[in-house]
Amino acid sequence: LLLSLDNHSTTDGESINKNTSGRTKLSETATKSNSKYCAEIPIPHQFWAIESNQPAFVDISHAGNVNIGESVCVRVVVPPKTLHASAIGDNPQFAPFPSAPWDSILMDLVGNNTGIYVPVRLQPAADIRNSVHESVHIYEADVVMRDVDFFTPQGYIEYRDAMWNPLDTTPAQPLAMEQIVTSSDMVVNVVDVKKTNIYSLSRYLDLPLCTESDVDGRWVNVADLPFDPSVVPERDDYNRVWLPYTCRLRRISYSEFTQCLIDQYPRLHWYGDSNFRRALRKFVTLGQWCSKPEEMNTSTCLCNDNTEVTEHYNINFRDTTIDMNPVTGGFEPTGNLSAPSAMPSDKARINAFRWGGLTTRNDPPWESYFEKNITEHYGVPDVVIIGLINWDAAYSSYEFFVSQVSRLIDRVASSYPDSTEIIIRNGQHYCCTYDSDAYWSRKFSHLRVRYFSQYLIDMFKQRFGGSRTVRLWDVETIGERRSIEARQFVKKCSANHARAEIIEVENQVLMNSMCNSNADP
């Protein structure tokens, strides 16, 4: 089974036109004349001949001035080291997924003045030598640059010898971090030669409203904003706001969102894990949960809310019905909840199903909800939100996950009509550490989360893309584009829960995508 991962950015270019409302609309179809893609740049032969035990290094063949919207090819060359015995032989403890790399590398291009982080999602270059364990490995990515600044590559090798993917009962391994050598000339100077920067912050409020939940963006310091920050979603704990490149996020109140649900999506089925529970707390309290400055550094808002009781619903239930009202928020209703006709017309109903991914740790098993004819029991929803990956990447083998995704897709296909929209929420970005908790023994790694997430959305779009709407609620990119210092927070939260400020941003991305199509621009 082969898995295809897109490079972080592979667009051919950007152009400007106007939509019918006169607002700036971006089209990523124009041809760029100066972009240099990895496929166009031969790998120097001497890279493959580098001797063992030399340091890994970055190569940007066309470093220097790059115009807004152009791409650069970033390569990392990893010479071999003495092989880790447990990754070879007849019974290895570690092995990469099909088409995945032996080495796990975390790499960003970092803006010297703006502090903007642009992730470099490296993939093995198309050469058979990359599949050979003992060979030099060369990874590459085409990265589109959209912010004026001097960008320098920063990164390190997390693991070699596929130790990012422990097999069977092998626990997660301590990071064997190796700094990647970067020469002083490996600087990308992004300039606006034509003075037509379509991504300029001065033009942000002219962009069309976001109607998708997987648009790329960057974290911008509030001090750099040329407009009132109250018109965009709230800032994070580093005083930065999340701004997509090609569309505009507005700050939507939870009361407005609830009314949007009543008008457009009165029935929702939502499957997810503890990160889903934390997001739901915001919705049912109309944004009041973890909203006061004095609360933000409490353990509940930072990481663990599993013991916090709420009057809105029983968080310990695996199957919960919540009726949403724009004035009072969400509460569990009384009466005959199984009759679809029993739902009040002035409320939206969320049927929430608590899952531990598609793992064997679910009690009852995740498929049991479908076995009782879920739409007959709960009504036909307008939207199904499925949040997975966090538990799957922590506990399941890739092969087991693949088998369960196939079963899930069959269940969704047979249970929900084509009129039901599907939203897939991917996993939280993970980096910079490993889970040393002996009890939980989670096998988190940033590559496991990425590959599991990509496979899930690819398979859903492959199966349903032609017959129904399938969207990605991309929370992984939101976390991945934070500064490396901000991403270090996971060391304080081994469950990899998003802190409350990030949950707010993630929710705003979802709310904008669901409710902006009929909003006043």
Side-chain angles (χ1 to χ4, degrees):
L1 176 67
L2 294 179
L3 173 63
S4 171
L5 266 181
D6 292 336
N7 282 342
H8 181 73
S9 298
T10 56
T11 56
D12 291 328
E14 324 282 350
S15 63
I16 304 177
N17 54 48
K18 296 286 184 178
N19 62 18
T20 54
S21 67
R23 292 189 173 272
T24 305
K25 184 178 180 181
L26 302 184
S27 174
E28 301 198 334
T29 57
T31 301
K32 297 194 295 285
S33 59
N34 297 321
S35 292
K36 298 296 183 181
Y37 296 104
C38 293
E40 302 169 354
I41 305 172
I43 297 173
H45 295 297
Q46 61 267 31
F47 285 2
W48 295 107
I50 295 175
E51 295 182 356
S52 299
N53 300 313
Q54 299 300 309
F57 62 90
V58 178
D59 179 66
I60 305 177
S61 299
H62 292 79
N65 289 353
V66 174
N67 201 27
I68 286 290
E70 293 179 353
S71 67
V72 294
C73 172
V74 180
R75 288 189 172 123
V76 175
V77 180
V78 183
K81 280 194 171 184
T82 303
L83 297 180
H84 194 287
S86 58
I88 57 178
D90 295 331
N91 297 295
Q93 293 177 273
F94 312 97
F97 302 151
S99 78
W102 284 98
D103 311 297
S104 174
I105 300 172
L106 198 69
M107 173 66 62
D108 299 282
L109 295 178
V110 183
N112 293 6
N113 299 313
T114 61
I116 289 173
Y117 275 65
V118 182
V120 180
R121 289 191 171 184
L122 295 159
Q123 297 185 78
D127 191 292
I128 190 63
R129 285 168 285 194
N130 271 324
S131 64
V132 179
H133 192 186
E134 301 85 353
S135 172
V136 171
H137 296 148
I138 299 178
Y139 304 101
E140 61 187 19
D142 293 311
V143 185
V144 174
M145 308 305 297
R146 298 183 176 96
D147 301 283
V148 174
D149 203 347
F150 291 91
F151 285 84
T152 56
Q154 297 180 14
Y156 56 85
I157 298 173
E158 293 181 310
Y159 296 105
R160 288 177 180 260
D161 302 316
M163 294 179 70
W164 57 269
N165 185 42
L167 302 179
D168 303 323
T169 59
T170 304
Q173 302 297 296
L175 267 64
M177 292 173 56
E178 301 175 46
Q179 198 72 31
I180 296 174
V181 174
T182 303
S183 63
S184 58
D185 59 341
M186 292 295 148
V187 176
V188 179
N189 180 25
V190 185
V191 295
D192 184 16
V193 174
K194 299 179 182 179
K195 305 299 180 184
T196 57
N197 181 5
I198 57 179
Y199 307 112
S200 170
L201 295 177
S202 64
R203 298 185 177 189
Y204 184 74
L205 297 185
D206 293 327
L207 294 175
L209 292 173
C210 295
T211 56
E212 299 296 334
S213 49
D214 62 346
V215 291
D216 199 5
R218 74 287 212 195
W219 287 95
V220 177
N221 195 308
V222 169
D224 294 335
L225 296 180
F227 51 80
D228 184 347
S230 68
V231 301
V232 297
E234 295 182 17
R235 66 195 71 187
D236 71 354
D237 51 308
Y238 279 76
N239 203 38
R240 290 180 173 267
V241 292
W242 175 251
L243 302 180
Y245 285 110
T246 57
C247 64
R248 172 171 56 94
L249 290 175
R250 63 189 177 97
R251 188 179 299 187
I252 297 178
S253 72
Y254 285 86
S255 291
E256 179 186 346
F257 177 66
T258 301
Q259 188 60 54
C260 167
L261 294 183
I262 294 171
D263 295 339
Q264 300 183 53
Y265 312 96
R267 289 184 181 274
L268 289 86
H269 289 183
W270 193 340
Y271 304 87
D273 55 24
S274 49
N275 272 293
F276 138 78
R277 179 188 67 222
R278 291 171 68 79
L280 191 60
R281 285 186 187 274
K282 279 283 190 182
F283 289 118
V284 300
T285 62
L286 299 181
Q288 293 303 303
W289 179 74
C290 284
S291 61
K292 299 176 182 177
E294 62 270 22
E295 298 174 329
M296 303 312 290
N297 287 321
T298 62
S299 60
T300 291
C301 299
L302 291 175
C303 179
N304 289 318
D305 65 311
N306 53 308
T307 61
E308 182 191 30
V309 177
T310 174
E311 63 177 340
H312 293 267
Y313 72 101
N314 190 325
I315 66 167
N316 295 315
F317 284 0
R318 296 282 174 171
D319 173 356
T320 304
T321 298
I322 302 170
D323 280 353
M324 296 289 296
N325 179 283
V327 177
T328 60
F331 288 91
E332 288 186 87
T334 58
N336 184 0
L337 304 184
S338 63
S341 60
M343 190 184 78
S345 60
D346 61 342
K347 293 181 174 66
R349 174 162 291 181
I350 299 175
N351 291 107
F353 307 97
R354 174 83 179 278
W355 279 1
L358 302 178
T359 69
T360 58
R361 296 182 174 228
N362 286 295
D363 184 17
W366 67 265
E367 285 191 277
S368 64
Y369 299 105
F370 294 98
E371 291 169 353
K372 55 186 177 183
N373 195 334
I374 199 163
T375 53
E376 181 178 316
H377 193 71
Y378 299 103
V380 176
D382 303 280
V383 176
V384 171
I385 300 177
I386 300 174
L388 297 172
I389 307 304
N390 299 301
W391 279 63
D392 304 287
Y395 299 117
S396 292
S397 70
Y398 183 70
E399 293 75 16
F400 180 79
F401 178 69
V402 166
S403 70
Q404 296 303 292
V405 168
S406 178
R407 297 175 69 90
L408 172 63
I409 289 175
D410 287 342
R411 289 291 193 179
V412 170
S414 62
S415 299
Y416 295 114
D418 289 347
S419 59
T420 296
E421 180 178 326
I422 300 172
I423 298 176
I424 302 295
R425 174 181 167 129
N426 56 9
Q428 308 294 138
H429 176 67
Y430 187 88
C431 85
C432 320
T433 188
Y434 77 105
D435 184 19
S436 58
D437 189 309
Y439 176 76
W440 289 102
S441 190
R442 304 175 183 91
K443 298 183 181 184
F444 282 137
S445 70
H446 95 267
L447 283 185
R448 281 177 61 85
V449 170
R450 186 198 302 176
Y451 275 82
F452 276 57
S453 292
Q454 191 66 57
Y455 182 81
L456 178 68
I457 188 64
D458 282 351
M459 292 301 101
F460 263 86
K461 286 189 174 182
Q462 180 177 308
R463 176 69 176 269
F464 297 117
S467 61
R468 69 173 83 199
T469 300
V470 178
R471 299 198 218 180
L472 170 63
W473 180 10
D474 188 1
V475 300
E476 182 184 5
T477 295
I478 293 172
E480 183 183 28
R481 278 190 168 265
R482 303 191 79 201
S483 70
I484 195 66
E485 292 79 14
R487 283 178 272 169
Q488 299 280 343
F489 170 73
V490 71
K491 294 179 179 179
K492 301 177 181 179
C493 183
S494 59
N496 199 27
H497 286 157
R499 56 187 295 153
E501 299 96 331
I502 304 304
I503 294 170
E504 175 64 23
V505 175
E506 295 169 350
N507 284 359
Q508 287 288 334
V509 167
L510 177 69
M511 293 191 290
N512 273 259
S513 70
M514 295 179 70
C515 301
N516 277 345
S517 58
N518 295 325
D520 184 355

